Amino acid sequence: MYEKLVLYIDGNFIETEGRKTEPVFNPASGEIIGQLPHATREDLDRALAAAQRAFETWKKTSPVERSTILRRVAELARERAEAIGRNITLDQGKPLAESVGEVNVCAEHAEWHAEECRRIYGRVIPPRRPDVRQFVLREPVGVCAAFTPWNFPFNQAIRKMVAALGSGCTLILKGPETAPSAVVALARLFHDAGLPAGCLNIVWGVPHEISEYLIKSPIVRKVSFTGSIAVGKQLASMAGAHMKRGTWELGGHSPVLVFDDANVDQAATMLAKLKIRNAGQVCVSPSRFYVQSKIYDRFAERFTKTIGSISVGDGLEKATQMGPLAHARRVDVMEAFMEDARAHGGEVVIGGTRLKSSGFFFPPTVVTGLPDNAKLMTDEPFGPIAPLVPFTDPEDAIRRANSLPYGLSSYVFTESLKTATYAANALEAGMVNINHFGSALSETPFGGVKDSGIGSEGGTETFDGYLVTKFVTHV
Ligand code: NAD
């Protein structure tokens, strides 16, 4: 049984009840598995009113009380991980182990925020006169509107929920219409954990209609979006026009620099597995591979061998290591990338054409021989395609890595501390992973620079976007 899809407004789960609906597909088979109700204007108004009313009480709750609810969410998430994970595989496509893993890892986000929200401190500033007392308070900004994507439907949504609620804000969230079950499951988790009505509201609909309505509402004080750069810029402009704060977690095109002195076999094997995770639909997926010339052939061979051994199939099958792409249009996008790669003289070493199936499958693909202006080298593929190119001069590799407007994640493989330090300092990225993948833990900040976004989720930075600073001085 797939999740019963509902809206969640002011503590009530609301079924279709005559509303417009949209079909949800299983990307492994192309079959319809559910119908998602769209929020009406009245639903959005009720969600706004509920979030505004709930904020007046929630902002005054003790951090200990908020912490208790977030901890309970973590416990319930672990208890329900198998069932929630299965539904994520059904509507998003990733292998079951990855879906269940996503839920379990995210339970930690709830725990981290439960701990960290008890440490939202202000400060005392030494006065210029002995009779003055002056201090800085950090207060929740107010009602937040959040928009989350389909690639990690549980992860992206819970990160925004726990940061907003942990800081004392209330929230209206629109999740991904193509993979909605995880967000509905989250509403049930918070509801069952005892979150007061109105603190969290879940709505669905036509994305740009909902975001425009919510962002323009005077009730909303902060916007948080994870998704593409193009949409992020539109929403950020709208938020700016209405003087709303924003957290923007946008796309990336992560460069990978593999130097001559790297542990080549280890790097190639690890990177191939990382590349096909979630079928490459990961904003921090390694996606442009610059490999130093002495080890290029060996790296390419080992990388291709590993990626070629990956079994592709329905995420519910035990043997599957990579599932389908999340929706049909992603397969079209992969084909467009490949057409451009061929036109630019790229050699397709493995993969390269859609798999004949009723589902939305594209195989792990390796392309070599591309010039820097090929689309695969300039645009985020967000899929299982890896372009490999050689470099000789480290400075040139850094220049090419930094040459795009993206600045999310980056990867460096070297056994030299000097090279590692040089690259870590020179790369224009919000995250630098050296000889391993270590991003996205609850205690570490996750976010980008340049077009990849503004603000961080996770780490001690996590509440910064949800708090305003108030200065108080008195004699
Ligand atoms: P998209 O930008 O159309 O959609 C991404 C998400 O944003 C979806 O969940 C969608 O419902 C939502 N969205 C779209 N327009 C919106 C609007 N006006 N207001 C509010 N929400 C809106 O892209 P897509 O074709 O679904 O996905 C492909 C691209 O999205 C990729 O190229 C990738 O860059 C980006 N993406 C990034 C992340 C990330 O984690 N940064 C996650 C998913 C997708």
Side-chain angles (χ1 to χ4, degrees), residues 147-152 156 174-178 206-212 225-232 234-235 249-252 281-283 327 329-330 333 380-382 408 446:
F147 308 96
T148 58
W150 43 263
N151 57 338
F152 289 95
Q156 317 276 27
K174 188 200 79 59
E177 281 73 20
T178 54
V206 178
H208 73 92
E209 290 176 7
I210 306 251
S211 54
E212 189 169 335
F225 171 77
T226 299
S228 64
I229 290 176
V231 173
Q234 282 170 22
L235 301 191
E249 293 279 359
L250 310 179
Q281 303 165 119
V282 183
C283 53
H327 31 70
R329 68 176 185 277
R330 296 304 313 156
V333 173
E380 175 183 31
F382 219 65
L408 194 58
F446 184 101

Side-chain angles (χ1 to χ4, degrees), residues 390-451:
F391 75 88
T392 43
D393 176 20
E395 269 183 44
D396 184 49
I398 295 281
R399 181 191 58 73
R400 289 158 81 189
N402 287 342
S403 65
L404 302 182
Y406 301 95
L408 194 58
S409 197
S410 58
Y411 299 85
V412 177
F413 289 83
T414 175
E415 293 295 296
S416 154
L417 182 59
K418 199 171 158 199
T419 306
T421 309
Y422 164 67
N425 289 339
L427 282 166
E428 294 169 1
M431 292 165 277
V432 183
N433 296 273
I434 300 175
N435 293 327
H436 84 142
F437 173 65
S439 301
L441 304 171
S442 40
E443 65 272 29
T444 60
F446 184 101
V449 296
K450 298 162 81 177
D451 276 5

